[in-house]
Amino acid sequence: MPITTGRSYLAIPGPSVSPERVLNAMHRTAPNIYEGELVDMVGELLPDLRRVAMTTQHVAIYIANGHGAWEAANCNMFSRGDRALLAATGRFGHGWAEGLQRMGVKVDIIDFGKSAPAEPERIADALRADKNHEIRAVLVTHVDTASSARNDIAAIRAAIDSTGHPALLAVDAIASLGCDELRMDDWGVDVIVGASQKGLMLPPGLGFIWFSDKALAASQRADLVTPYWDWKPRGTGTEFWQFFGGTAPTHHLYGLREALTMMLDEEGLEQVWARHRQLARTVWTAFDAWGRGSGIALNIADPAARGHSVTAAMIPNGGAGALRRWLEAEAGVTLGIGLGMALPSEPAYQDFLRVGHMGHVNAHMTLGVLAAMEAGMQALGIAHGPGAVEAAAGALVG
């Protein structure tokens, strides 16, 4: 008999859980968009958005999801016929490349596979081979939402610098922003792409671009940019409407204000990062226990190369798909599908899943998901090692 009465839990890697405080802040009548409290509030929001990315550089807000933010970054960095170098560590790296290619940008892809981080020296080798400096930017995901691979952005920056190549460094931080340590200025990042629906704890609808003075200067020659996607008025404008290319996303902005207050002023960004590290270790510990003698395995073997917002894993023989279906139907828990690990038409597609632990997540939410997963394995007869929930509890407090 299903035990789904009560609040369901969406444990996917975005959209994440929105706090009641954030939803309540959005539940209001529309404000004056020309003057008054909204204009004043946005003036305080922009510095706080810079704090989230640890930068003093420019920030632009778009009414868009993460794919829209990709496109905003693409059209401001490139002209048709330009070259980009992209380090792919999962499906979302390839997705970013596909968007660039459709816009007429030539993309050199270094594919590091589905289960490993990027190797900075291979990126450096590709730049050294570009004798005429045709490559305009190096693109990389910080955490690929599909594979859960986390790349060492500071090391990639150092590798770029070792070559003397002038390419920009652009980072997709959609899955890591507000979850994993991210330091734009200290790490020498020129462009960061983000979105509202993951670590920032909002519904989908806002895309963000942080960009350096170097990126701003490079964008002066970009012929792909169109009026709406142009980051110059959004990042350096003098009139309120310019920040949004027209009417402001009023209710999302009120929610964002509440979310940033919770993250920056109440919990503190360093503690937000530490909480995500602790909860991620809890999830990994459970999978390690389940995996003893069973074939269950985390997608990224090296803990140092795993993101702290999402965990990708394999449960063989169709176990992942069966478990996801059981959890949603019987326990009120929804896990993420395995993206990019196999085609939906292939039997192996049912062997992969993802657990999201990003944003407004705490101990009982994480342990509840793990306990429900173990119940599902028992109900379905999925082979798994013992003691996972007990081990996860120990990792949480250890």
Side-chain angles (χ1 to χ4, degrees), residues 104-127:
V105 177
K106 301 172 185 176
V107 185
D108 301 338
I109 299 174
I110 307 177
D111 190 350
F112 293 95
K114 302 173 182 178
S115 301
E119 300 170 27
E121 191 56 32
R122 286 180 62 187
I123 295 172
D125 288 343
L127 292 177

Side-chain angles (χ1 to χ4, degrees), residues 68-366:
W70 272 349
E71 190 155 325
N74 294 348
C75 70
N76 281 283
M77 288 191 291
F78 297 103
S79 296
R80 187 173 297 277
D82 278 352
R83 284 178 65 196
L85 177 65
L86 187 139
T89 55
R91 181 69 195 93
F92 282 86
H94 288 285
W96 197 358
E98 289 161 6
L100 281 160
Q101 289 164 340
R102 289 191 63 183
M103 297 173 73
V105 177
K106 301 172 185 176
V107 185
D108 301 338
I109 299 174
I110 307 177
D111 190 350
F112 293 95
K114 302 173 182 178
S115 301
E119 300 170 27
E121 191 56 32
R122 286 180 62 187
I123 295 172
D125 288 343
L127 292 177
R128 291 188 187 101
D130 179 32
K131 302 298 185 182
N132 296 325
H133 293 172
E134 295 177 2
I135 293 171
R136 298 291 180 181
V138 174
L139 284 67
V140 63
T141 54
H142 187 197
V143 173
D144 192 291
T145 322
S147 67
S148 71
R150 178 166 57 93
N151 290 305
D152 187 337
I153 303 302
I156 291 172
R157 175 77 267 176
I160 295 171
D161 290 346
S162 73
T163 70
H165 198 290
L168 300 171
L169 173 58
V171 174
D172 172 349
I174 293 169
S176 63
L177 182 70
C179 303
D180 276 278
E181 182 177 356
L182 177 65
R183 300 179 182 274
M184 179 174 174
D185 290 358
D186 289 349
W187 295 352
V189 180
D190 293 298
V191 176
I192 287 179
V193 179
S196 60
Q197 70 268 24
K198 298 184 186 288
L200 294 185
M201 309 182 294
L202 283 161
L206 294 183
F208 306 96
I209 303 287
W210 291 261
F211 56 100
S212 68
D213 286 335
K214 179 181 176 182
L216 176 61
S219 71
Q220 302 296 332
R221 59 166 295 280
D223 68 14
L224 283 171
V225 70
T226 54
Y228 183 79
W229 295 111
D230 192 352
W231 66 25
K232 292 184 286 296
R234 291 173 185 266
T236 63
T238 58
E239 298 181 42
F240 185 73
W241 69 270
Q242 291 179 301
F243 298 151
F244 309 103
T247 303
T250 53
H251 293 72
H252 271 73
L253 292 173
Y254 281 108
L256 179 61
R257 173 65 278 162
E258 192 69 20
L260 292 178
T261 295
M262 294 172 67
M263 293 173 64
L264 300 175
D265 299 330
E266 295 177 4
E267 187 174 8
L269 189 56
E270 298 268 359
Q271 176 56 33
V272 170
W273 295 339
R275 172 169 54 85
H276 280 86
R277 288 194 296 269
Q278 187 175 11
L279 294 176
R281 286 194 299 268
T282 300
V283 174
W284 303 343
T285 299
F287 271 98
D288 287 343
W290 286 329
R292 294 189 187 105
S294 70
I296 295 174
L298 292 167
N299 186 52
I300 304 297
D302 181 4
R306 297 176 192 153
H308 296 114
S309 59
V310 54
T311 294
M314 179 185 71
I315 304 178
N317 303 313
L323 181 60
R324 285 193 303 102
R325 291 188 293 272
W326 187 93
L327 286 167
E328 189 157 18
E330 305 292 331
V333 175
T334 301
L335 299 182
I337 62 174
L339 278 178
M341 308 307 291
L343 294 174
S345 58
E346 297 174 338
Y349 182 78
Q350 299 298 330
D351 292 350
F352 301 95
L353 56 71
R354 293 172 298 156
V355 181
H357 34 88
M358 55 175 59
H360 189 58
V361 183
N362 60 22
H364 83 79
M365 297 161 84
T366 302

Side-chain angles (χ1 to χ4, degrees), residues 41-54:
M41 182 185 70
V42 170
E44 298 171 354
L45 267 180
L46 297 177
D48 281 351
L49 281 173
R50 294 185 181 95
R51 290 170 65 190
V52 169
M54 299 291 283

